[in-house]
Amino acid sequence: MIKNKNFEIAKNIYDSKYFIWAIIFTGILIRFRQYLFNRSLWIDEASLALNILKLNYSELLEPLLHKQAAPPFFLLITKLFTDIAGYSEYVLRLLPFFCGITSVILFYYLATQFLQKKVIPIAVGLLSFSYYAIYYSAEFKQYSVDLLFTILIIFFAFKLDESQYQKKYSMYFGFIAVLSTWLSHTSVFVLAGVGFALLYKITLEKRKYEKANINIIHLKGLIVIGILSISSFFFHYFFIIRPVPKEYFYDFWEDSFVPFPPLGLSEIKWYLIKGINVMKNPLGFTFLYGIAFVFLVIGIISFLKRKDKLNLNLLLFPIVFLLIASIFHIYPINSRLILFILPIMYLFMSEGMCQFIKYFYPNKRLVSILIIIFLLVYPVSNGFSYLIRPILRQEIKSVIEYCLDNKEENDKIYIYYGAKTAFEYYTWDNKIDTLESVGSNKEKPDEYFRDLDRLRGKDRIWFIFSHIVRDEDKLFLTYLDHIATQLDSFETKGSAVYLYKL
């Protein structure tokens, strides 16, 4: 009797709206903590931030410095923020932060349109406690913006159909569609997917299942929105994206394009490894990713069984267009570049969990619930831990401060190539002279030794390391210990500085 009473209390708490909003509030609180912690800019952020520092508004629409690429409105809005509030990590990360907390709230409303009430808290919890969604909400890159526009586009596409193409929702969807092409590169896959899903319902699905004629008014409305979106995208592409050199981008992500068709063992192995990697990053299932994948598949099958295929198509077609783009070597499938699919994948997985519980009801319902709880323990507990210990990456800011505070007048500074852009950002107004250092020589480490040999006789030199590749700092330090004497050192997460007398 007591067990049943406790179960009912727990069930009532779980089913209440207060529980949902407690999850949402916690997700927002974690993001606030991460944002307010104000960690150092790492190499990617610093490289993009230098464009905001050095370029004017019109120059931000041209090819960027340091091989960077970002949506034009993302850059222009950030530039406006810095003109109003000055340059700081807080200002640079304000737009991603706003998009991060907005995503958590709007995802709840999206989930109510696609899922049964009993699994909405699971879906919202997955996004609220997602490591990568939290991290990129306080990162000066566009990935948090990508995630928000996935939610917005799918939500308003659903509402457009539900409202029978009311003028109000047509305007909302049209505005979001056009705006997204300037704020999010990945929105093109979501727009193409939902556009195809809506077109399919108006034409083929209506005639196949409902034996109804095509609604010309709806079709015209969708065509108008499509023309506006496509025109906006092509204007953006031909005048801004197309002139940007892309060789570095394609070389860097060479192994992340889908090999199709998979004719050999190496291609099949690619699919297996990539599937596991995606479950880990960006989905965040470092452990039990196999179980998470099973729930994902069950969820897709469950949506497939529904008579109205719109919900399935709105979620699945953006993934299809992403895969097509990757097959044609247009866009890679890798980590942060596909953060925008998180809402889609979490909806599928939550639906899978719902069907999993139903299958075992009533005999083994408790077992199925425990399996789901076991799967969620790691991401949820990690999320709470970030309230105490925010996520760190490369804390070069304190390293630079230590170096400058302790540097004597005649001391020299040597910057490891991975630390150059971050050092330049944090010292851009001081114009500090540094020794010229060799670039990346991962395949020819002897080049590093020759570079250090030329420094002999320059007396005291500070060596600053960050964004270290393949433990190259150990290689440097081993050789420095052989040719010089270490006088001082200061180490932080992902960064360090060492003083040597040569």
Side-chain angles (χ1 to χ4, degrees):
M1 182 69 72
I2 295 175
K3 286 184 179 179
N4 289 336
K5 187 176 180 181
N6 290 338
F7 180 80
E8 283 301 317
I9 292 172
K11 184 178 181 299
N12 290 336
I13 292 173
Y14 179 84
D15 290 339
S16 71
K17 267 198 171 184
Y18 295 109
F19 183 67
I20 288 275
W21 284 103
I23 295 172
I24 293 171
F25 175 77
T26 305
I28 292 172
L29 188 64
I30 294 169
R31 285 158 176 77
F32 259 111
R33 178 72 174 98
Q34 186 67 31
Y35 175 72
L36 293 176
F37 181 72
N38 197 31
R39 62 176 175 80
S40 298
L41 298 181
W42 73 295
I43 184 172
D44 279 12
E45 292 179 286
S47 298
L48 190 58
L50 287 171
N51 287 274
I52 302 296
L53 281 171
K54 294 181 176 182
L55 305 181
N56 60 36
Y57 287 94
S58 62
E59 289 172 333
L60 288 172
L61 302 179
E62 300 171 0
L64 301 176
L65 307 172
H66 304 294
K67 301 175 182 177
Q68 291 297 297
F73 279 15
F74 176 82
L75 297 170
L76 296 176
I77 291 171
T78 304
K79 181 71 173 178
L80 179 62
F81 287 167
T82 58
D83 284 347
I84 294 170
Y87 293 98
S88 72
E89 293 92 332
Y90 288 128
V91 177
L92 291 171
R93 292 169 174 155
L94 185 59
L95 180 57
F97 171 65
F98 171 80
C99 291
I101 60 174
T102 305
S103 295
V104 176
I105 299 170
L106 293 184
F107 184 62
Y108 162 64
Y109 292 102
L110 180 66
T112 60
Q113 308 299 323
F114 285 80
L115 301 174
Q116 296 181 41
K117 184 179 178 181
K118 64 179 71 175
V119 289
I120 291 174
I122 293 176
V124 174
L126 284 171
L127 187 65
S128 295
F129 296 106
S130 165
Y131 171 89
Y132 294 101
I134 292 167
Y135 174 80
Y136 286 108
S137 67
E139 168 106 325
F140 177 50
K141 296 292 281 187
Q142 66 268 28
Y143 308 118
S144 183
V145 184
D146 293 340
L147 192 152
L148 174 62
F149 272 98
T150 296
I151 295 170
L152 285 171
I153 292 168
I154 295 175
F155 178 79
F156 281 106
F158 179 89
K159 298 301 287 185
L160 181 68
D161 175 79
E162 185 184 55
S163 68
Q164 293 296 298
Y165 288 75
Q166 283 183 15
K167 185 178 179 180
K168 177 176 70 171
Y169 284 107
S170 295
M171 291 176 64
Y172 288 160
F173 184 58
F175 174 75
I176 292 296
V178 172
L179 182 64
S180 68
T181 61
W182 294 89
L183 270 166
S184 166
H185 289 152
T186 59
S187 66
V188 64
F189 307 123
V190 188
L191 285 172
V194 301
F196 193 81
L198 292 171
L199 183 63
Y200 176 80
K201 180 167 184 179
I202 290 174
T203 56
L204 300 178
E205 190 173 323
K206 281 282 185 183
R207 301 180 74 177
K208 183 177 180 180
Y209 294 103
E210 300 180 18
K211 308 299 181 184
N213 294 324
I214 295 173
N215 191 314
I216 300 300
I217 296 176
H218 292 182
L219 183 60
K220 285 181 178 178
L222 185 60
I223 289 172
V224 169
I225 295 171
I227 290 173
L228 289 173
S229 304
I230 292 170
S231 301
S232 177
F233 169 74
F234 276 107
F235 186 84
H236 177 196
Y237 176 78
F238 281 105
F239 289 96
I240 296 176
I241 297 178
R242 192 181 181 190
V244 175
K246 302 175 185 64
E247 292 78 9
Y248 174 78
F249 177 81
Y250 290 121
D251 289 343
F252 188 83
W253 299 107
E254 182 182 3
D255 296 330
S256 298
F257 295 102
V258 175
F260 188 85
L263 299 176
L265 187 62
S266 60
E267 286 86 358
I268 295 171
K269 183 180 178 182
W270 184 96
Y271 280 84
L272 178 62
I273 294 173
K274 181 59 65 174
I276 293 172
N277 288 342
V278 170
M279 295 306 298
K280 293 181 178 180
N281 180 6
L283 292 185
F285 292 97
T286 306
F287 302 105
L288 303 176
Y289 47 80
I291 296 175
F293 180 76
V294 169
F295 286 139
L296 176 65
V297 173
I298 292 173
I300 294 173
I301 294 172
S302 176
F303 274 107
L304 187 62
K305 289 180 178 179
R306 297 182 186 182
K307 183 179 179 182
D308 186 348
K309 297 296 189 292
L310 181 64
N311 282 11
L312 170 69
N313 295 340
L314 287 175
L315 299 178
L316 195 58
F317 285 167
I319 305 296
V320 172
F321 277 94
L322 170 64
L323 292 173
I324 292 171
S326 187
I327 288 170
F328 285 96
H329 284 231
I330 296 171
Y331 197 83
I333 307 291
N334 205 300
S335 57
R336 60 188 182 271
L337 298 183
I338 57 170
L339 188 78
F340 74 98
I341 70 171
L342 281 189
I344 295 172
M345 305 300 266
Y346 287 160
L347 288 175
F348 278 139
M349 291 178 62
S350 300
E351 175 67 15
M353 292 178 193
C354 179
Q355 297 306 316
F356 185 73
I357 293 172
K358 276 185 178 180
Y359 180 80
F360 286 102
Y361 183 85
N363 297 329
K364 297 180 181 178
R365 181 178 62 177
L366 183 59
V367 174
S368 61
I369 292 173
L370 287 175
I371 291 173
I372 292 170
I373 290 174
F374 190 56
L375 177 68
L376 299 178
V377 162
Y378 180 77
V380 172
S381 60
N382 258 9
F384 276 106
S385 73
Y386 304 142
L387 289 171
I388 303 169
R389 297 182 303 276
I391 303 165
L392 299 177
R393 187 142 193 178
Q394 295 167 9
E395 289 304 300
I396 193 172
K397 184 165 47 175
S398 56
V399 163
I400 294 171
E401 289 174 356
Y402 183 87
C403 175
L404 297 183
D405 288 344
N406 293 277
K407 176 180 175 292
E408 295 181 2
E409 185 177 353
N410 294 323
D411 288 357
K412 304 293 189 298
I413 300 176
Y414 179 100
I415 311 296
Y416 172 75
Y417 68 91
K420 282 184 177 180
T421 54
F423 184 87
E424 184 181 353
Y425 172 80
Y426 283 111
T427 61
W428 69 278
D429 53 348
N430 294 332
K431 297 181 180 178
I432 296 172
D433 291 328
T434 61
L435 295 171
E436 192 67 32
S437 59
V438 70
S440 174
N441 279 281
K442 290 177 282 189
E443 309 306 326
K444 298 179 180 179
D446 287 349
E447 292 296 322
Y448 297 133
F449 303 149
R450 278 191 280 272
D451 192 44
L452 295 176
D453 282 336
R454 70 180 175 82
L455 302 178
R456 294 189 185 195
K458 292 187 181 293
D459 203 18
R460 290 165 45 108
I461 301 177
W462 295 85
F463 292 85
I464 293 180
F465 293 91
S466 190
H467 193 65
I468 302 157
V469 179
R470 296 183 183 177
D471 293 327
E472 286 183 341
D473 58 331
K474 295 177 182 177
L475 189 68
F476 274 77
L477 295 177
T478 300
Y479 192 68
L480 283 169
D481 286 337
H482 178 67
I483 65 172
T485 303
Q486 186 180 129
L487 303 178
D488 196 1
S489 66
F490 178 75
E491 299 177 0
T492 60
K493 172 70 174 180
S495 301
V497 60
Y498 304 92
L499 173 62
Y500 277 88
K501 182 178 177 63
L502 282 86

